[in-house]
Amino acid sequence: MLKPALPGEASQSNYDQIRIVLVETTHSGNIGAVARAMKNMGLANLWLVNPSSFPDEASYARSSGASDVLDNARVVNTLDEALSDCVLVMGTSARGRKVPWPVIPPHQAVETAAEHAAKGTVALVFGRESNGLSNEELQRCHYHIHIPSNPDYSSLNLAMAVQVVCYELRMHYLRGLEEKESRPYLGAMTSPLDEGWDVPLGTVEEVEGFFGHLEDTLEAIAFHRRENPRQLMTRLRRLFQRAQMDQMELNILRGVLSAVQKSAKTGAAEQESRSGEETQHSQDQNHV
């Protein structure tokens, strides 16, 4: 089987021990969609129990590049064959049962799966598109995974259900990497204060230089008067400081201000020239 394409120490992880098992899938395109969902989240261990049609063109077309997962998929005739060497089996279920069974949500299921994967193979079993897993098949599972979807419309497409569980596995893995390596795999990046931003945060000196340039420019275009400032600069300062500008952004804004100042000087010079010409013309007329 393929090793999972996870960041960091993928070869040392136990996620290649997580086996996705599809039982009697009717539409081969759904198998391809499942392969895509698995590869998106770094999983590759796919087993198919008595599929209606596989391999075929539809499955590879729907895989959207996850053909390697399909190439290495194992096809077996019975669920017993898919589970015989596993140390833990979990089956997805959306229905209540007469006899209560241990039911866990996806995020808790993957924690349990990860613990057992260190000791052996873990099977995550998904049923048929039309009616899921039978009661007998569900009784083969140690736990039932219940995805808490809308109770008024709870039926999930097969690939969607697999995607939810694989996503939770991915998140569990990345949280583990963060704890080991102190790297923000899951952290947001919204400002220059966050790791990964391409340009450093502007310094106090650089920001103050921008504010001085801004005030000079606003005065040059007669939008601001230093002798009667009111709260204009205070509010503009609050606005721009809230933006947490990086050094490149400050340079761009100062370039804009310089262009505005240049344009304002050119306009003032042209206006003064026209005014002089008009005055001279008026004087010439008076001499006539």
Side-chain angles (χ1 to χ4, degrees), residues 196-231:
W197 201 266
D198 59 338
V199 179
L201 183 69
T203 65
V204 170
E205 182 179 9
E206 290 166 338
V207 173
E208 288 303 315
F210 162 73
F211 284 132
H213 196 171
L214 176 62
E215 187 169 16
D216 290 343
T217 304
L218 295 177
E219 188 173 29
I221 62 175
F223 191 84
H224 169 64
R225 291 184 296 171
R226 292 180 191 270
E227 66 275 10
N228 186 25
R230 297 187 179 181
Q231 294 183 339

Side-chain angles (χ1 to χ4, degrees), residues 1-284:
M1 283 298 181
L2 294 176
K3 295 291 184 180
L6 294 169
E9 301 174 353
S11 61
Q12 298 180 27
S13 77
N14 295 311
Y15 280 76
D16 54 328
Q17 295 287 81
I18 304 292
R19 178 181 299 173
I20 303 297
V21 180
L22 307 185
V23 177
E24 296 185 351
T25 309
T26 303
H27 303 288
S28 60
N30 286 332
I31 298 175
V34 166
R36 179 180 184 178
M38 291 173 60
K39 189 167 184 177
N40 282 155
M41 299 297 116
L43 297 166
N45 195 342
L46 175 62
W47 285 53
L48 307 173
V49 177
N50 192 28
S52 294
S53 176
F54 181 83
D56 60 16
E57 184 178 348
S59 59
Y60 279 86
R62 287 286 301 280
S63 72
S64 298
S67 57
D68 52 341
V69 177
L70 297 179
D71 290 342
N72 289 276
R74 178 82 176 270
V75 180
V76 294
N77 293 321
T78 66
L79 183 59
D80 286 340
E81 293 178 73
L83 305 182
S84 62
D85 61 338
C86 296
V87 298
L88 179 71
V89 180
M90 296 184 176
T92 52
S93 173
R95 300 178 305 203
R97 305 287 162 174
K98 291 182 180 179
V99 179
W101 212 265
V103 178
I104 53 180
H107 72 276
Q108 185 177 343
V110 301
E111 292 177 1
T112 304
E115 291 174 4
H116 284 74
K119 304 171 185 176
T121 302
V122 173
L124 303 179
V125 186
F126 297 82
R128 304 156 188 83
E129 296 96 329
S130 58
N131 56 357
L133 296 170
S134 67
N135 287 334
E136 183 180 353
E137 290 163 346
L138 282 167
Q139 290 172 14
R140 298 292 308 279
C141 304
H142 298 92
Y143 296 94
H144 294 171
I145 303 174
H146 176 66
I147 298 173
S149 55
N150 177 7
D152 295 328
Y153 190 67
S154 60
S155 178
L156 272 72
N157 172 272
L158 174 60
M160 292 178 181
V162 174
Q163 184 77 81
V164 169
V165 177
C166 289
Y167 169 78
E168 291 291 352
L169 279 165
R170 178 73 172 182
M171 294 295 287
H172 181 270
Y173 178 76
L174 292 177
R175 284 192 291 268
L177 283 186
E178 286 193 332
E179 293 175 1
K180 294 177 183 177
E181 303 178 13
S182 300
R183 296 176 62 185
Y185 289 104
L186 302 176
M189 185 178 67
T190 60
S191 80
L193 294 172
D194 300 322
E195 184 174 337
W197 201 266
D198 59 338
V199 179
L201 183 69
T203 65
V204 170
E205 182 179 9
E206 290 166 338
V207 173
E208 288 303 315
F210 162 73
F211 284 132
H213 196 171
L214 176 62
E215 187 169 16
D216 290 343
T217 304
L218 295 177
E219 188 173 29
I221 62 175
F223 191 84
H224 169 64
R225 291 184 296 171
R226 292 180 191 270
E227 66 275 10
N228 186 25
R230 297 187 179 181
Q231 294 183 339
L232 176 64
M233 291 307 302
T234 298
R235 292 188 177 276
L236 288 175
R237 176 180 286 271
R238 184 177 67 177
L239 166 65
F240 283 107
Q241 287 187 158
R242 194 167 68 237
Q244 294 183 316
M245 298 172 287
D246 65 35
Q247 294 174 353
M248 180 63 71
E249 291 163 345
L250 285 167
N251 289 338
I252 292 171
L253 288 173
R254 295 200 66 170
V256 172
L257 294 177
S258 295
V260 171
Q261 287 178 322
K262 182 178 179 181
S263 179
K265 288 180 181 178
T266 301
E270 290 177 352
Q271 184 175 359
E272 183 178 350
S273 176
R274 285 196 299 271
S275 177
E277 290 175 358
E278 290 172 359
T279 301
Q280 183 63 47
H281 179 70
S282 177
Q283 291 174 350
D284 292 342

